[in-house]
Amino acid sequence: RKEGLLRRPSKMFTPVNQVRLTNVAIVRLKKKGKRFEIACYKNKVLSWRNKAEKDIDEVLQSDSIFTNVSKGSLAKKKDLEKAFGTADQTEICKIILEKGQLQVSQKERKFEASKKLKDIATIIAEKCINTDNKLPFPVSVIQTSMKEVKFSLKPNRSAKQQALDLIQDLKKVLPIARAQMRIRIATDEKFAKDIKKNVSSLVDTIEREEWELDYEMTARIDPGAYRVIADVVAKGTKGKGSVDILDCKVQADVEKKNAEYT
C-alpha cells in the first residue's frame, strides 16, 4: 500500500477530502505535542476494547493516521516516527485504539456513561449477596449506593473490571459480599487425603464427598480462594486433579426466592 492511500475510498472520503460517513468514530491521541486521529466504526471500537473484536480491519474505516480526520489531513511520517518510534501504521492504530479517547457528542457520552453505570450495577447484583438475608440486592439499590460512595466511572475500563473493584467500596454502605462459588474437586484416590487436608482451610462448606475409585469433593468457597485451591490441587496431584466451577450461591438463592412467589 502507498502511504496515505485509503483502503476504503468509496466509503471514506469524497474527492475534496470531506467525511461523508454516518457511523464514523474518531479516536484521538495526543503524543509528543502532536494530535493523531484514526477513523473507526464506533461499535467496533468498543468491541475491540472489550476484546470481543480481534480483527483490526473490522474496526478501522481507514488504516491511515490523521492529524484531523474531518479535514482529511494526514499525519507526517516523521511525526509518527518521533511520537511512536515506528512508522508502521497498523501498530500505531493499535496504540491509538488502546490509549486514545473516543470522540463522541455530549449526548452520546452521557448515554454511554449511563449504560455502563447500569451494567456495573447489574454485574454486582449478579455476583454479590446481602449478608443479612443471603439474597441478591436489587440493581436499583446498587445504583443508589454507587452514588453514596461517589463512584467515578472510568470510560476506558470494562464494566466487569470496575464492578469487581467497586465491591470493596460498597461494603462501607451495604452489608455486601461476593456470592459463594460452588466447586467440584476431583483427583486420584492416592492424592485424596493430602488434597483434602490442604484445601480444608480454604473451603467454607463441604457439601459432598465420594471415595469410590477416585476422590471427589463438592464444596462452597469464597471466589477469591478459587485460584489458590486450583494451584494446590494442580501441584498436589502433579497436574492430574481438577477443579471445576459448578455455580454461584446467588443463582440458587434467586431461584429459591422466585419459587416462593410462583
Side-chain angles (χ1 to χ4, degrees), residues 237-250:
T237 65
K238 299 179 180 179
K240 295 181 179 179
S242 64
V243 182
D244 299 314
I245 299 173
L246 301 179
D247 59 46
C248 290
K249 188 175 181 180
V250 67

Side-chain angles (χ1 to χ4, degrees), residues 10 41 54 61 74 84-85 113 116 139 148 166 170 232 239 254:
S10 61
Y41 294 104
K54 301 184 184 298
Q61 294 203 29
L74 294 169
F84 299 96
K116 181 166 275 191
V139 173
E148 289 183 37
L166 178 58
L170 290 178
V232 168
V254 170

Side-chain angles (χ1 to χ4, degrees), residues 55-255:
D55 185 353
I56 197 168
D57 286 335
E58 294 297 319
V59 181
L60 301 175
Q61 294 203 29
S62 164
D63 54 4
S64 295
I65 317 295
F66 301 84
T67 55
N68 189 309
V69 168
S70 298
K71 295 181 179 179
S73 303
L74 294 169
K76 296 178 181 178
K77 184 178 180 181
K78 65 177 183 180
D79 291 336
L80 293 175
E81 291 178 335
K82 180 180 179 181
F84 299 96
T86 179
D88 186 320
Q89 299 205 46
T90 299
E91 290 305 311
I92 294 173
C93 283
K94 290 179 180 179
I95 294 171
I96 296 175
L97 273 171
E98 179 184 352
K99 300 181 178 180
Q101 184 176 21
L102 180 61
Q103 305 299 301
V104 294
S105 68
Q106 186 174 359
K107 183 178 180 180
E108 288 178 306
R109 190 177 294 112
K110 186 175 181 181
F111 173 80
E112 292 295 338
S114 177
K115 182 178 182 299
K116 181 166 275 191
L117 284 170
K118 186 172 182 179
D119 287 345
I120 291 170
T122 300
I123 291 170
I124 292 174
E126 291 173 347
K127 292 184 176 294
C128 296
I129 57 171
N130 182 327
T131 55
D132 290 342
N133 59 20
K134 308 303 180 185
L135 293 174
F137 285 99
V139 173
S140 59
V141 172
I142 300 297
Q143 289 175 309
T144 299
S145 299
M146 288 166 67
K147 295 178 182 177
E148 289 183 37
V149 299
K150 295 180 171 57
F151 172 69
S152 178
L153 184 67
K154 299 176 180 62
N156 289 338
R157 295 193 69 206
S158 72
K160 183 177 180 180
Q161 289 175 322
Q162 295 186 76
L164 295 178
D165 290 343
L166 178 58
I167 293 170
Q168 195 63 34
D169 285 338
L170 290 178
K171 290 181 179 180
K172 300 173 184 176
V173 296
L174 287 176
I176 191 171
R178 286 286 300 273
Q180 284 189 321
M181 182 182 288
R182 189 163 172 260
I183 64 169
R184 178 175 57 231
I185 298 173
T187 181
D188 292 343
E189 188 178 7
K190 63 181 178 180
F191 301 118
K193 290 184 179 179
D194 286 339
I195 291 300
K196 181 178 179 180
K197 177 182 177 182
N198 293 333
V199 303
S200 290
S201 62
L202 300 170
V203 304
D204 185 71
T205 306
I206 297 177
E207 294 184 344
R208 183 176 63 85
E209 287 183 284
E210 289 186 9
W211 294 83
E212 296 181 7
L213 298 178
D214 294 333
Y215 174 70
E216 191 173 289
M217 173 199 292
T218 301
R220 291 196 178 276
I221 65 170
D222 182 275
Y226 173 76
R227 291 190 182 279
V228 179
I229 292 173
D231 286 343
V232 168
V233 172
K235 293 176 181 177
T237 65
K238 299 179 180 179
K240 295 181 179 179
S242 64
V243 182
D244 299 314
I245 299 173
L246 301 179
D247 59 46
C248 290
K249 188 175 181 180
V250 67
Q251 295 172 335
D253 284 336
V254 170
E255 292 170 1

